[in-house]
Amino acid sequence: MRPALLNPLFASVTSLAGVGPKQDKLFRFLLGRAETPRLVDLLLHLPASVVDRRARPKIRDAAPGTIVTLEVTVDRHRPTPGRNSRAPHLVYVSDDTGAVVLTYFRAQPGYVEKLLPVGAKRYVSGTVQLFDGMPQMVHPDRVLDEDSFSKLSGIDPVYPLTEGLALGSLRRAVAQALQKIPDLPEWISPEVIKRCKFPPIAEALSRVHNPVELTDILPDRPFWSRLAFDELLAGQLALALIRAQLRRPAGDRNSGDGHLRKKIIDALPYALTSSQQQAAAAITDDLRQPVRMLRLLQGDVGSGKTVVGLLAAAAVTEVGRQAALMAPTEILARQHVKTITPLAERAGLRVAILTGREKGKERRILLERLATGEIDLLVGTHALIQDDVIFKALALAVVDEQHRFGVRERLALTAKGEAVDVLVLSATPIPRTLVLTYFGDMDVSELREKPAGRQPVDTRAVPASRINDVTDAVGRALKAGKRVYWICPLVEQSEAEGVEHLTNAIERYESLHQRFGDRVGLVHGQMKGAEKDAIMEQFAGGEIGLLVATTVVEVGVDVPAATIMVIENAERFGLAQLHQLRGRIGRGSEASTCLLLYKEPLNEMSTARLKVIRETTDGFRIAEEDLRLRGEGDVLGVRQSGLPGYRIARSDVHGQLIVQARDEALRIMKSNPKLTGERGEALRCLLYLYERDEALPLIGAG
Ligand code: ADP
Ligand code: MG
């Protein structure tokens, strides 16, 4: 149950004066909530900028076009003459240096007179303009009497808004919400408070919403940072609490004596690289721990992650349990099975595949075998997480190319067993801060060296106007018996049907087919699985020399004989995607070439991307550059500069805080894992405040 202390912050915004049903709707939209937002949502909606009203010149010195606050006496009114007149209501005000006209269009009768009584002293703030040589202020932003004026700093916050919502009404709502903040306990440790110079939360909220200095609203200043740290700490603590629950019973292990792994290693036609060996050893160690494994295996395309995953599967088979390997596409799932099966057979591991294509009786029999434990390793696509897929004893989930799957799918798979160990394989290196933010303290193994015999890829950017030269070169390559990929981008999805527009690929296929005949093939996402496989097979076998493809070949496809890749409209692809695509070549012993065709003119971002991809094949560097170029949200496929799921914390500014929040969460888990006592209570408040309380029922009341 939420601590009663927090109730005022969880009152709905409609309890505020001036917030009715219409505002409710606008606030829901603005704050991204399906239900009526609460005061806490409003308070965590932080300003994007400020208006500085501190300039206090005399009227004579007020520079036209600038925002000023004038101290004036009201001289006289000239109200709108008649009901239907479009003429504004004018108010003449002055100080000892001159006069200004305040102009109000379509004012409510009586409203302006009340705001600016004749003879009264007022502070009016707004932009001064010259109109017919006379200084004028149209609709002053603020009109204040002495008393209210003395309470304001002269710096107004400006918030992100939504159509129909006035800045003034948002400000008034926030001002009321600030009054309702209860006396909150401190949940951050004194050491961190001191080191980071964090103010108490109430002060942080009050200062970002009522800035005293222009810089008070900046994300890297202590006020915003304090709130960002709170949010990150809540996230880290929640992840840590959940993870701590997933313990195996004492003495229970998911790793056996190694006899199956040895058989696999003996059957390999190559020697494992030292980073593969290290990763496999780390995994074995994890599988023996009483805490569930959560490990990320990062390695560039072609670095040999699959065999490491297979060894992990063998380890759980040694103790009679099962493993699942989930891949993002059918092509990839089938390819995994193809590489894995011969090795697995040598070790007596029973491998099966389940995708959308296995149906009817075949599927039924497979599921039966799975449920009775006659399958040791089940490889597949999303089809693995269907409800009727039941394992006898699932102990390990290997998830390939994680960034394609949501957290939901990962959880759905691990829910099919008890305290299932998780190994995530990722070819796109996920930057450390992102791993921390979304997986918490996940262990990471990296495959840094490429298997022996890999060739560097010569990458060049070529303007699309030279496509004929490129086609000629491809023709020469085909004659010489080389294998070529020709990649066309998927043009946006048709919104109505969600169907891929394949015109690009199909048209390109037709023109290339006309020129080179039957040695040209086409593969795209709309084709049936069997069709796709057949084409890939022909390409691998050499019957097809030139394969026109959409990005379906992006992930994991392995045709070592392919040495040339043409990427059309390369400027439309993201860095990570270009890198993935290019990883399809340079896999054999021959030198490879990648041609990036681009449409001119290139914008700044595309120019930068093509430069990076030409300069390096190091996936880690590419991921870092990618991050720098577009912000972290995008790496996860979400277009925004912040961190998805986080309102306050931002990857570009608060990267360092993520690490500190992780450390703080670890200290808490060590010293007070049940969140008891005064500090525990405070931390519970924090989790509720940032809606990360899902783990609290697991540890019980404090
Ligand atoms: P990725 O990390 O992209 O998933 P794979 O696991 O598909 O890479 O491996 C790519 C290719 O490299 C496969 O054909 C695999 O058999 C081969 N391979 C893996 N490890 C080694 C190694 N240590 N030495 C040589 N070849 C290897
Ligand atoms: Mg792979």
mmCIF file of all heavy atoms in Angstrom, residues 335-372:
data_model
loop_
_atom_site.group_PDB
_atom_site.id
_atom_site.type_symbol
_atom_site.label_atom_id
_atom_site.label_comp_id
_atom_site.label_asym_id
_atom_site.label_seq_id
_atom_site.Cartn_x
_atom_site.Cartn_y
_atom_site.Cartn_z
ATOM 1 N N GLN A 335 18.713 -20.746 -39.685
ATOM 2 C CA GLN A 335 20.153 -20.783 -39.835
ATOM 3 C C GLN A 335 20.830 -21.282 -38.553
ATOM 4 O O GLN A 335 21.779 -22.050 -38.600
ATOM 5 C CB GLN A 335 20.657 -19.396 -40.175
ATOM 6 C CG GLN A 335 22.108 -19.438 -40.573
ATOM 7 C CD GLN A 335 22.557 -18.077 -41.014
ATOM 8 O OE1 GLN A 335 22.048 -17.547 -41.995
ATOM 9 N NE2 GLN A 335 23.470 -17.509 -40.264
ATOM 10 N N HIS A 336 20.300 -20.842 -37.416
ATOM 11 C CA HIS A 336 20.837 -21.322 -36.139
ATOM 12 C C HIS A 336 20.735 -22.831 -36.061
ATOM 13 O O HIS A 336 21.685 -23.510 -35.686
ATOM 14 C CB HIS A 336 20.041 -20.723 -34.976
ATOM 15 C CG HIS A 336 20.527 -19.367 -34.564
ATOM 16 N ND1 HIS A 336 21.850 -19.057 -34.449
ATOM 17 C CD2 HIS A 336 19.849 -18.247 -34.221
ATOM 18 C CE1 HIS A 336 21.976 -17.796 -34.060
ATOM 19 N NE2 HIS A 336 20.774 -17.273 -33.920
ATOM 20 N N VAL A 337 19.570 -23.351 -36.420
ATOM 21 C CA VAL A 337 19.369 -24.788 -36.347
ATOM 22 C C VAL A 337 20.362 -25.508 -37.249
ATOM 23 O O VAL A 337 20.930 -26.533 -36.883
ATOM 24 C CB VAL A 337 17.919 -25.143 -36.735
ATOM 25 C CG1 VAL A 337 17.778 -26.638 -36.940
ATOM 26 C CG2 VAL A 337 16.983 -24.670 -35.648
ATOM 27 N N LYS A 338 20.581 -24.903 -38.408
ATOM 28 C CA LYS A 338 21.479 -25.534 -39.363
ATOM 29 C C LYS A 338 22.910 -25.612 -38.827
ATOM 30 O O LYS A 338 23.575 -26.636 -38.948
ATOM 31 C CB LYS A 338 21.456 -24.749 -40.675
ATOM 32 C CG LYS A 338 21.514 -25.643 -41.886
ATOM 33 C CD LYS A 338 21.230 -24.867 -43.143
ATOM 34 C CE LYS A 338 22.485 -24.727 -43.965
ATOM 35 N NZ LYS A 338 22.328 -23.803 -45.076
ATOM 36 N N THR A 339 23.373 -24.523 -38.229
ATOM 37 C CA THR A 339 24.739 -24.550 -37.697
ATOM 38 C C THR A 339 24.823 -25.386 -36.423
ATOM 39 O O THR A 339 25.832 -26.047 -36.167
ATOM 40 C CB THR A 339 25.263 -23.139 -37.345
ATOM 41 O OG1 THR A 339 24.176 -22.300 -37.052
ATOM 42 C CG2 THR A 339 26.102 -22.562 -38.445
ATOM 43 N N ILE A 340 23.758 -25.329 -35.639
ATOM 44 C CA ILE A 340 23.811 -25.970 -34.329
ATOM 45 C C ILE A 340 23.665 -27.490 -34.426
ATOM 46 O O ILE A 340 24.367 -28.242 -33.746
ATOM 47 C CB ILE A 340 22.707 -25.382 -33.416
ATOM 48 C CG1 ILE A 340 23.130 -23.998 -32.923
ATOM 49 C CG2 ILE A 340 22.401 -26.303 -32.269
ATOM 50 C CD1 ILE A 340 22.044 -23.287 -32.152
ATOM 51 N N THR A 341 22.760 -27.932 -35.314
ATOM 52 C CA THR A 341 22.416 -29.351 -35.323
ATOM 53 C C THR A 341 23.602 -30.319 -35.454
ATOM 54 O O THR A 341 23.724 -31.243 -34.644
ATOM 55 C CB THR A 341 21.331 -29.637 -36.384
ATOM 56 O OG1 THR A 341 20.256 -28.733 -36.139
ATOM 57 C CG2 THR A 341 20.831 -31.063 -36.314
ATOM 58 N N PRO A 342 24.486 -30.104 -36.436
ATOM 59 C CA PRO A 342 25.593 -31.070 -36.549
ATOM 60 C C PRO A 342 26.442 -31.154 -35.282
ATOM 61 O O PRO A 342 26.847 -32.253 -34.870
ATOM 62 C CB PRO A 342 26.440 -30.524 -37.705
ATOM 63 C CG PRO A 342 25.705 -29.377 -38.289
ATOM 64 C CD PRO A 342 24.544 -29.052 -37.447
ATOM 65 N N LEU A 343 26.672 -30.008 -34.653
ATOM 66 C CA LEU A 343 27.460 -30.000 -33.417
ATOM 67 C C LEU A 343 26.684 -30.673 -32.295
ATOM 68 O O LEU A 343 27.221 -31.475 -31.529
ATOM 69 C CB LEU A 343 27.793 -28.559 -33.015
ATOM 70 C CG LEU A 343 28.647 -27.767 -33.999
ATOM 71 C CD1 LEU A 343 28.696 -26.303 -33.593
ATOM 72 C CD2 LEU A 343 30.058 -28.352 -34.039
ATOM 73 N N ALA A 344 25.387 -30.309 -32.215
ATOM 74 C CA ALA A 344 24.559 -30.844 -31.146
ATOM 75 C C ALA A 344 24.454 -32.357 -31.249
ATOM 76 O O ALA A 344 24.516 -33.069 -30.249
ATOM 77 C CB ALA A 344 23.170 -30.205 -31.192
ATOM 78 N N GLU A 345 24.327 -32.831 -32.476
ATOM 79 C CA GLU A 345 24.191 -34.278 -32.673
ATOM 80 C C GLU A 345 25.385 -35.035 -32.117
ATOM 81 O O GLU A 345 25.236 -36.089 -31.510
ATOM 82 C CB GLU A 345 24.026 -34.586 -34.162
ATOM 83 C CG GLU A 345 22.561 -34.598 -34.570
ATOM 84 C CD GLU A 345 22.375 -34.677 -36.072
ATOM 85 O OE1 GLU A 345 23.398 -34.750 -36.808
ATOM 86 O OE2 GLU A 345 21.211 -34.641 -36.511
ATOM 87 N N ARG A 346 26.556 -34.459 -32.328
ATOM 88 C CA ARG A 346 27.765 -35.117 -31.827
ATOM 89 C C ARG A 346 27.718 -35.280 -30.319
ATOM 90 O O ARG A 346 28.320 -36.191 -29.760
ATOM 91 C CB ARG A 346 29.008 -34.308 -32.202
ATOM 92 C CG ARG A 346 29.254 -34.258 -33.696
ATOM 93 C CD ARG A 346 29.823 -35.586 -34.190
ATOM 94 N NE ARG A 346 31.235 -35.693 -33.870
ATOM 95 C CZ ARG A 346 32.210 -35.235 -34.642
ATOM 96 N NH1 ARG A 346 31.908 -34.677 -35.800
ATOM 97 N NH2 ARG A 346 33.451 -35.358 -34.290
ATOM 98 N N ALA A 347 27.002 -34.353 -29.674
ATOM 99 C CA ALA A 347 26.934 -34.414 -28.216
ATOM 100 C C ALA A 347 25.646 -35.094 -27.741
ATOM 101 O O ALA A 347 25.388 -35.193 -26.545
ATOM 102 C CB ALA A 347 27.025 -33.012 -27.635
ATOM 103 N N GLY A 348 24.824 -35.528 -28.689
ATOM 104 C CA GLY A 348 23.571 -36.170 -28.307
ATOM 105 C C GLY A 348 22.512 -35.205 -27.820
ATOM 106 O O GLY A 348 21.546 -35.591 -27.158
ATOM 107 N N LEU A 349 22.664 -33.937 -28.151
ATOM 108 C CA LEU A 349 21.673 -32.922 -27.774
ATOM 109 C C LEU A 349 20.520 -32.968 -28.775
ATOM 110 O O LEU A 349 20.747 -32.952 -29.974
ATOM 111 C CB LEU A 349 22.341 -31.548 -27.863
ATOM 112 C CG LEU A 349 22.195 -30.600 -26.696
ATOM 113 C CD1 LEU A 349 23.044 -31.122 -25.551
ATOM 114 C CD2 LEU A 349 22.690 -29.211 -27.083
ATOM 115 N N ARG A 350 19.286 -33.011 -28.264
ATOM 116 C CA ARG A 350 18.152 -33.080 -29.181
ATOM 117 C C ARG A 350 17.623 -31.670 -29.453
ATOM 118 O O ARG A 350 17.143 -31.000 -28.554
ATOM 119 C CB ARG A 350 17.070 -33.981 -28.596
ATOM 120 C CG ARG A 350 17.537 -35.441 -28.497
ATOM 121 C CD ARG A 350 16.734 -36.230 -27.508
ATOM 122 N NE ARG A 350 16.875 -35.700 -26.143
ATOM 123 C CZ ARG A 350 16.246 -36.205 -25.090
ATOM 124 N NH1 ARG A 350 15.436 -37.229 -25.219
ATOM 125 N NH2 ARG A 350 16.413 -35.668 -23.883
ATOM 126 N N VAL A 351 17.750 -31.258 -30.708
ATOM 127 C CA VAL A 351 17.383 -29.895 -31.098
ATOM 128 C C VAL A 351 16.144 -29.922 -31.980
ATOM 129 O O VAL A 351 15.989 -30.810 -32.814
ATOM 130 C CB VAL A 351 18.538 -29.229 -31.887
ATOM 131 C CG1 VAL A 351 18.166 -27.802 -32.280
ATOM 132 C CG2 VAL A 351 19.813 -29.243 -31.054
ATOM 133 N N ALA A 352 15.234 -28.952 -31.773
ATOM 134 C CA ALA A 352 14.061 -28.841 -32.650
ATOM 135 C C ALA A 352 13.809 -27.375 -32.939
ATOM 136 O O ALA A 352 14.332 -26.494 -32.257
ATOM 137 C CB ALA A 352 12.850 -29.472 -31.979
ATOM 138 N N ILE A 353 13.013 -27.134 -33.972
ATOM 139 C CA ILE A 353 12.701 -25.758 -34.335
ATOM 140 C C ILE A 353 11.199 -25.518 -34.287
ATOM 141 O O ILE A 353 10.407 -26.387 -34.649
ATOM 142 C CB ILE A 353 13.263 -25.399 -35.729
ATOM 143 C CG1 ILE A 353 12.991 -23.923 -36.027
ATOM 144 C CG2 ILE A 353 12.657 -26.278 -36.834
ATOM 145 C CD1 ILE A 353 13.855 -23.346 -37.122
ATOM 146 N N LEU A 354 10.826 -24.340 -33.811
ATOM 147 C CA LEU A 354 9.415 -23.958 -33.787
ATOM 148 C C LEU A 354 9.282 -22.513 -34.250
ATOM 149 O O LEU A 354 9.778 -21.582 -33.605
ATOM 150 C CB LEU A 354 8.846 -24.097 -32.372
ATOM 151 C CG LEU A 354 7.373 -23.696 -32.237
ATOM 152 C CD1 LEU A 354 6.474 -24.614 -33.044
ATOM 153 C CD2 LEU A 354 6.956 -23.683 -30.778
ATOM 154 N N THR A 355 8.633 -22.342 -35.404
ATOM 155 C CA THR A 355 8.359 -20.990 -35.897
ATOM 156 C C THR A 355 6.891 -20.970 -36.295
ATOM 157 O O THR A 355 6.163 -21.929 -36.039
ATOM 158 C CB THR A 355 9.212 -20.662 -37.141
ATOM 159 O OG1 THR A 355 8.730 -21.436 -38.240
ATOM 160 C CG2 THR A 355 10.673 -20.939 -36.901
ATOM 161 N N GLY A 356 6.466 -19.895 -36.943
ATOM 162 C CA GLY A 356 5.083 -19.833 -37.398
ATOM 163 C C GLY A 356 4.790 -20.882 -38.456
ATOM 164 O O GLY A 356 3.645 -21.157 -38.774
ATOM 165 N N ARG A 357 5.840 -21.468 -38.993
ATOM 166 C CA ARG A 357 5.622 -22.382 -40.103
ATOM 167 C C ARG A 357 5.263 -23.798 -39.663
ATOM 168 O O ARG A 357 4.644 -24.545 -40.400
ATOM 169 C CB ARG A 357 6.898 -22.437 -40.946
ATOM 170 C CG ARG A 357 6.603 -22.045 -42.391
ATOM 171 C CD ARG A 357 7.599 -22.646 -43.309
ATOM 172 N NE ARG A 357 8.824 -21.893 -43.314
ATOM 173 C CZ ARG A 357 9.930 -22.342 -43.910
ATOM 174 N NH1 ARG A 357 9.936 -23.505 -44.524
ATOM 175 N NH2 ARG A 357 11.017 -21.616 -43.874
ATOM 176 N N GLU A 358 5.703 -24.159 -38.458
ATOM 177 C CA GLU A 358 5.352 -25.491 -37.979
ATOM 178 C C GLU A 358 3.887 -25.468 -37.554
ATOM 179 O O GLU A 358 3.511 -24.699 -36.666
ATOM 180 C CB GLU A 358 6.228 -25.905 -36.797
ATOM 181 C CG GLU A 358 7.608 -26.388 -37.187
ATOM 182 C CD GLU A 358 8.480 -25.306 -37.811
ATOM 183 O OE1 GLU A 358 8.438 -24.161 -37.323
ATOM 184 O OE2 GLU A 358 9.154 -25.580 -38.789
ATOM 185 N N LYS A 359 3.095 -26.314 -38.174
ATOM 186 C CA LYS A 359 1.656 -26.269 -37.919
ATOM 187 C C LYS A 359 1.101 -27.672 -37.754
ATOM 188 O O LYS A 359 1.775 -28.660 -38.019
ATOM 189 C CB LYS A 359 0.945 -25.613 -39.116
ATOM 190 C CG LYS A 359 1.244 -24.131 -39.268
ATOM 191 C CD LYS A 359 0.117 -23.436 -40.023
ATOM 192 C CE LYS A 359 0.410 -21.954 -40.174
ATOM 193 N NZ LYS A 359 1.316 -21.687 -41.316
ATOM 194 N N GLY A 360 -0.159 -27.729 -37.323
ATOM 195 C CA GLY A 360 -0.917 -28.978 -37.328
ATOM 196 C C GLY A 360 -0.253 -30.101 -36.547
ATOM 197 O O GLY A 360 0.251 -29.900 -35.450
ATOM 198 N N LYS A 361 -0.233 -31.246 -37.168
ATOM 199 C CA LYS A 361 0.227 -32.451 -36.496
ATOM 200 C C LYS A 361 1.702 -32.345 -36.098
ATOM 201 O O LYS A 361 2.100 -32.693 -34.988
ATOM 202 C CB LYS A 361 0.030 -33.639 -37.442
ATOM 203 C CG LYS A 361 0.246 -34.956 -36.751
ATOM 204 C CD LYS A 361 -0.266 -36.115 -37.588
ATOM 205 C CE LYS A 361 0.266 -37.428 -37.018
ATOM 206 N NZ LYS A 361 0.630 -38.379 -38.073
ATOM 207 N N GLU A 362 2.478 -31.817 -37.032
ATOM 208 C CA GLU A 362 3.918 -31.660 -36.801
ATOM 209 C C GLU A 362 4.161 -30.857 -35.523
ATOM 210 O O GLU A 362 4.962 -31.226 -34.666
ATOM 211 C CB GLU A 362 4.489 -30.926 -38.022
ATOM 212 C CG GLU A 362 5.983 -30.784 -38.026
ATOM 213 C CD GLU A 362 6.442 -29.782 -39.110
ATOM 214 O OE1 GLU A 362 5.574 -29.242 -39.852
ATOM 215 O OE2 GLU A 362 7.634 -29.536 -39.194
ATOM 216 N N ARG A 363 3.405 -29.766 -35.422
ATOM 217 C CA ARG A 363 3.553 -28.891 -34.270
ATOM 218 C C ARG A 363 3.109 -29.609 -32.990
ATOM 219 O O ARG A 363 3.755 -29.508 -31.947
ATOM 220 C CB ARG A 363 2.724 -27.623 -34.493
ATOM 221 C CG ARG A 363 2.816 -26.619 -33.380
ATOM 222 C CD ARG A 363 2.185 -25.292 -33.805
ATOM 223 N NE ARG A 363 2.393 -24.273 -32.805
ATOM 224 C CZ ARG A 363 1.631 -24.121 -31.737
ATOM 225 N NH1 ARG A 363 0.601 -24.931 -31.550
ATOM 226 N NH2 ARG A 363 1.895 -23.184 -30.849
ATOM 227 N N ARG A 364 2.009 -30.338 -33.099
ATOM 228 C CA ARG A 364 1.465 -31.020 -31.927
ATOM 229 C C ARG A 364 2.474 -32.029 -31.378
ATOM 230 O O ARG A 364 2.732 -32.108 -30.182
ATOM 231 C CB ARG A 364 0.150 -31.709 -32.308
ATOM 232 C CG ARG A 364 -0.858 -31.669 -31.178
ATOM 233 C CD ARG A 364 -2.245 -32.119 -31.598
ATOM 234 N NE ARG A 364 -2.259 -33.274 -32.462
ATOM 235 C CZ ARG A 364 -2.738 -33.270 -33.712
ATOM 236 N NH1 ARG A 364 -3.214 -32.160 -34.231
ATOM 237 N NH2 ARG A 364 -2.734 -34.375 -34.431
ATOM 238 N N ILE A 365 3.049 -32.775 -32.282
ATOM 239 C CA ILE A 365 4.019 -33.794 -31.861
ATOM 240 C C ILE A 365 5.231 -33.126 -31.205
ATOM 241 O O ILE A 365 5.713 -33.559 -30.151
ATOM 242 C CB ILE A 365 4.466 -34.641 -33.078
ATOM 243 C CG1 ILE A 365 3.267 -35.455 -33.557
ATOM 244 C CG2 ILE A 365 5.642 -35.536 -32.721
ATOM 245 C CD1 ILE A 365 3.518 -36.222 -34.833
ATOM 246 N N LEU A 366 5.664 -32.032 -31.826
ATOM 247 C CA LEU A 366 6.810 -31.305 -31.287
ATOM 248 C C LEU A 366 6.518 -30.823 -29.860
ATOM 249 O O LEU A 366 7.345 -30.972 -28.954
ATOM 250 C CB LEU A 366 7.103 -30.133 -32.206
ATOM 251 C CG LEU A 366 8.355 -29.311 -31.936
ATOM 252 C CD1 LEU A 366 8.914 -28.816 -33.252
ATOM 253 C CD2 LEU A 366 8.101 -28.131 -31.034
ATOM 254 N N LEU A 367 5.327 -30.270 -29.666
ATOM 255 C CA LEU A 367 4.986 -29.758 -28.340
ATOM 256 C C LEU A 367 4.904 -30.881 -27.313
ATOM 257 O O LEU A 367 5.276 -30.704 -26.149
ATOM 258 C CB LEU A 367 3.670 -28.967 -28.389
ATOM 259 C CG LEU A 367 3.733 -27.643 -29.169
ATOM 260 C CD1 LEU A 367 2.408 -26.910 -29.118
ATOM 261 C CD2 LEU A 367 4.856 -26.752 -28.643
ATOM 262 N N GLU A 368 4.454 -32.029 -27.751
ATOM 263 C CA GLU A 368 4.410 -33.182 -26.848
ATOM 264 C C GLU A 368 5.812 -33.587 -26.413
ATOM 265 O O GLU A 368 6.069 -33.810 -25.231
ATOM 266 C CB GLU A 368 3.768 -34.371 -27.576
ATOM 267 C CG GLU A 368 2.303 -34.572 -27.215
ATOM 268 C CD GLU A 368 1.659 -35.581 -28.160
ATOM 269 O OE1 GLU A 368 2.320 -36.631 -28.451
ATOM 270 O OE2 GLU A 368 0.546 -35.296 -28.622
ATOM 271 N N ARG A 369 6.676 -33.655 -27.380
ATOM 272 C CA ARG A 369 8.063 -34.031 -27.070
ATOM 273 C C ARG A 369 8.700 -33.007 -26.125
ATOM 274 O O ARG A 369 9.472 -33.348 -25.233
ATOM 275 C CB ARG A 369 8.891 -34.142 -28.355
ATOM 276 C CG ARG A 369 8.500 -35.336 -29.213
ATOM 277 C CD ARG A 369 9.289 -35.366 -30.507
ATOM 278 N NE ARG A 369 10.719 -35.310 -30.296
ATOM 279 C CZ ARG A 369 11.573 -34.631 -31.057
ATOM 280 N NH1 ARG A 369 11.124 -33.948 -32.096
ATOM 281 N NH2 ARG A 369 12.855 -34.640 -30.793
ATOM 282 N N LEU A 370 8.338 -31.742 -26.353
ATOM 283 C CA LEU A 370 8.887 -30.684 -25.502
ATOM 284 C C LEU A 370 8.403 -30.852 -24.063
ATOM 285 O O LEU A 370 9.174 -30.754 -23.104
ATOM 286 C CB LEU A 370 8.443 -29.317 -26.045
ATOM 287 C CG LEU A 370 9.066 -28.106 -25.374
ATOM 288 C CD1 LEU A 370 10.549 -28.026 -25.707
ATOM 289 C CD2 LEU A 370 8.365 -26.825 -25.815
ATOM 290 N N ALA A 371 7.130 -31.155 -23.939
ATOM 291 C CA ALA A 371 6.527 -31.264 -22.604
ATOM 292 C C ALA A 371 7.021 -32.493 -21.856
ATOM 293 O O ALA A 371 7.031 -32.520 -20.626
ATOM 294 C CB ALA A 371 5.005 -31.280 -22.727
ATOM 295 N N THR A 372 7.418 -33.530 -22.595
ATOM 296 C CA THR A 372 7.902 -34.726 -21.916
ATOM 297 C C THR A 372 9.425 -34.712 -21.782
ATOM 298 O O THR A 372 10.018 -35.677 -21.303
ATOM 299 C CB THR A 372 7.478 -36.002 -22.681
ATOM 300 O OG1 THR A 372 7.873 -35.858 -24.047
ATOM 301 C CG2 THR A 372 5.977 -36.214 -22.597
#
